[in-house]
Amino acid sequence: MGKVYVFDHPLIQHKLTFIRDKSTGTKDFRELVDEVAALMAFEITRDIPLQEVEVETPVSTAKCQTIAGKKLGVVPILRAGLGMMDGIVDLIPAAKVGHVGLYRDPDTLEAIEYYVKLPKDSHEREFIVTDPMLATGGSAVVAIESIKKRGAKNIKLMCLVAAPEGVEVVQEAHPDVDIFLAAMDEGLNEKSYIVPGLGDAGDRLYGTK
Ligand SMILES: O=P(O)(O)OC[C@H]1O[C@H](OP(=O)(O)OP(=O)(O)O)[C@H](O)[C@@H]1O
Ligand SMILES: O=c1cc[nH]c(=O)[nH]1
Ligand SMILES: [Mg+2]
């Protein structure tokens, strides 16, 4: 069973408060989502293996450490997952970026896939899949399936806010995938929106409502 981590770092929690606030406008919302994604990436990458190298400083030789050639990838689930991508890639510039386009049908809640493009060497990469919202879990399950179908074996899911029922659905469908969150919320409302959540993440990021 995949593990679930909720990041309680004060900076993440402080910024999430403003992300949730309905009076936060598009510009600030977008900046805050990006900042929280970077902070979460900082935590997620704690276990990246290091290797020892030597560099010549202006004074002498220093034994230092560099990341041991691990290949990383980021896969935002379009649209809203894109809002988390820059913050991560700024931190890990060597990461390749794939895209999975999905929308949740408002009536059936089924996740409909409309676009997939991944790095060619997906089988060698460790992927972080991003989406601010994990509601019923349908979108995350389909996105992860799609990435696995193209060879990926090592996947982490990073979301800002999740409903417990969505987490359970992902854990059942993909027991090998750990889930990283800024908050675990109460549940879903009658329209399967996360409560208290933050509203429609895509619309708030892109001002489409
Ligand atoms: O867990 P689920 O019940 O599948 O819901 C979560 C999905 O819904 C939202 O996307 P949406 O369909 O609104 O598309 P958008 O990102 O293009 O706005 C959100 O960004 C997730 O991808
Ligand atoms: O609360 C929710 C649920 C699905 N998608 C969103 O953007 N928000
Ligand atoms: Mg949306």
Side-chain angles (χ1 to χ4, degrees):
M1 183 66 73
K3 293 198 187 75
V4 181
Y5 300 88
V6 181
F7 293 131
D8 59 0
H9 193 290
L11 288 176
I12 292 175
Q13 293 307 315
H14 177 83
K15 288 174 194 293
L16 182 62
T17 301
F18 294 94
I19 290 172
R20 286 189 190 276
D21 189 335
K22 69 178 183 188
S23 69
T24 298
T26 299
K27 177 177 181 288
D28 289 339
F29 186 90
R30 204 158 42 215
E31 286 174 5
L32 287 160
V33 168
D34 215 31
E35 287 166 13
V36 170
L39 291 166
M40 291 180 74
F42 188 76
E43 295 281 349
I44 283 185
T45 49
R46 251 177 211 291
D47 61 350
I48 293 185
L50 293 168
Q51 65 190 6
E52 202 169 278
V53 293
E54 283 189 353
V55 295
E56 293 303 320
T57 76
V59 180
S60 80
T61 303
K63 280 195 189 348
C64 301
Q65 295 188 312
T66 58
I67 290 171
K70 187 158 191 151
K71 290 186 162 185
L72 292 174
V74 183
V75 182
I77 301 178
L78 309 180
R79 286 177 304 169
L82 263 187
M84 299 171 74
M85 185 198 67
D86 285 342
I88 304 174
V89 175
D90 284 349
L91 214 61
I92 315 165
K96 293 263 164 56
V97 180
H99 295 85
V100 176
L102 293 178
Y103 68 91
R104 191 173 81 155
D105 183 290
D107 300 320
T108 65
L109 300 180
E110 194 191 346
I112 314 287
E113 188 176 280
Y114 58 85
Y115 184 76
V116 184
K117 183 81 180 176
L118 294 182
K120 274 216 175 74
D121 56 358
S122 290
H123 54 287
E124 294 175 8
R125 285 191 183 267
E126 177 170 328
F127 283 103
I128 302 173
V129 175
T130 65
D131 194 328
M133 312 309 285
L134 177 56
T136 65
S139 302
V141 166
V142 169
I144 294 167
E145 250 163 38
S146 189
I147 297 165
K148 283 185 176 173
K149 231 189 280 171
R150 288 162 177 86
K153 291 178 189 72
N154 201 336
I155 299 169
K156 292 175 167 148
L157 176 63
M158 188 206 281
C159 304
L160 295 189
V161 178
E165 40 274 69
V167 167
E168 211 173 292
V169 165
V170 173
Q171 282 181 316
E172 265 172 35
H174 299 292
D176 56 313
V177 173
D178 288 343
I179 302 172
F180 299 85
L181 305 172
M184 179 83 91
D185 274 12
E186 288 161 23
L188 299 172
N189 69 10
E190 65 292 347
K191 289 184 177 157
S192 288
Y193 270 75
I194 298 174
V195 181
L198 49 82
D200 188 304
D203 285 339
R204 292 196 66 192
L205 276 166
Y206 301 113
T208 42
K209 205 166 177 190

